[in-house]
Amino acid sequence: MPHPQAGIIPAPSPNALFLILRVLNPPTNGRAVAKALTGVPALVEKVGAVDPRAKLVGTVGVGSPLWDVISPNKRPSGLHPFTAIESGSLRAPSTGGDVLLHVLSKRHDLNFELAMRLRAQLGDMVEVMDEVHGFQYLDSRDLTGFIDGTENPSGAKDRTQVALIGDEDKSFAGGSYVFTQRYVHNLKKWATVPTAEQEKAIGRKKKDSTELSAKAKPPTAHISRVVMEENGEELEIVRHSFPYGTVSEAGLFFIAYSKTLDIPEKMLGRMLGASGDGLHDHLMDYTQAVSGATFFAPSLEVLKTLAAR
Ligand code: HEM
């Protein structure tokens, strides 16, 4: 099996950096950008050598429009731009992007160094669409105060099975589809909600993430909306989301890796009340997505050939 990029399977480190870039004039610059991306694993190694204990890893994702330029005939079969969702007063915008850099380590300065070096290499071929510096908050909580990640697949075997493409698309095996959204929380409104009500919006206890009983957990709880089965099997994603922000604006950078984009898209449809059962995720009443994009993070082997396809 080809090798996945380094940041997908391991459990996250305490600091993350997310960079989303747009390629300017893709017919002219697309291939040169792709060439620079092939050098990211070596760049990670170089910057990471400063302090191997920081465990710096970087993962590169390529958006649908850039695949169209660098490899129009041989592209991941399930990659498409994210289609915005609007449902009543809820919406998930599609903002897109050509390149995603997802950096993780124990040292924020090394994450930043890596991002700065890639940014410098790409020069005026790209513009920065979004840059998010994520931090582990308390014992891995979202800024709503709830533990995030309790039911994330754990262990390399499970995470590999959920996140990586296998024989179903052989040319892209070892790669992974990526779905990202930046959420801005309304923490002021959330703070007015009693803990028992907050727990009903999430479906878990705030203190220790215990799941509410079937009787106590409303069908509009976050976890009621995202837990889905198809043909008797639970649909799963590997989440690498991080809290981010300042005292003025803060939220969650949501990122999921999966074998297919259908899974996070279906979950989101149910969250926003767009799945036809008239229900929406009550957590969405306290937060707003301000970006939405899809990418494909190729295996290390495919990444190497990105500029020569
Ligand atoms: C503001 C944005 C979000 C926040 C604050 C949030 C927070 C949480 C929390 C606190 C949990 C419970 C603990 C856990 O199992 O991790 C959870 C579970 C989960 N979330 Fe989210 N989430 C957000 C967005 C999303 C989105 C956009 C998706 C999918 C597209 C998603 C998919 C899931 C899944 C699959 C679970 C695990 C459910 C289970 O198996 O019990 N979340 N989330």
Side-chain angles (χ1 to χ4, degrees), residues 101-128:
L101 177 68
H102 173 195
V103 190
L104 287 163
S105 85
K106 293 184 181 163
R107 280 183 53 173
H108 181 57
D109 60 335
L110 295 187
N111 291 358
F112 190 62
E113 179 70 17
L114 176 66
M116 286 279 277
R117 288 205 198 181
L118 181 66
R119 176 72 194 88
Q121 277 181 19
L122 296 174
D124 55 13
M125 295 189 292
V126 299
E127 69 182 14
V128 176

Side-chain angles (χ1 to χ4, degrees), residues 142-144 146-152 179 181 183 185 202 204 209 211 222-223 226-227 234-237 239 241 252 254 256 263-265 267-268 271 281 283-284 287:
D142 170 65
L143 295 175
T144 52
F146 282 78
I147 294 173
D148 194 9
T150 312
E151 282 295 325
N152 220 4
F179 174 58
Q181 283 186 300
Y183 282 89
H185 291 349
I202 299 284
R204 291 186 175 272
S209 203
E211 189 170 348
H222 178 54
I223 65 168
V226 294
V227 173
E234 190 170 332
L235 301 183
E236 289 190 281
I237 53 180
R239 288 170 286 142
S241 310
L252 187 78
F254 179 85
I263 299 178
E265 284 168 350
M267 290 175 175
L268 188 66
M271 287 169 63
D281 179 341
L283 174 61
M284 292 295 106
T287 187

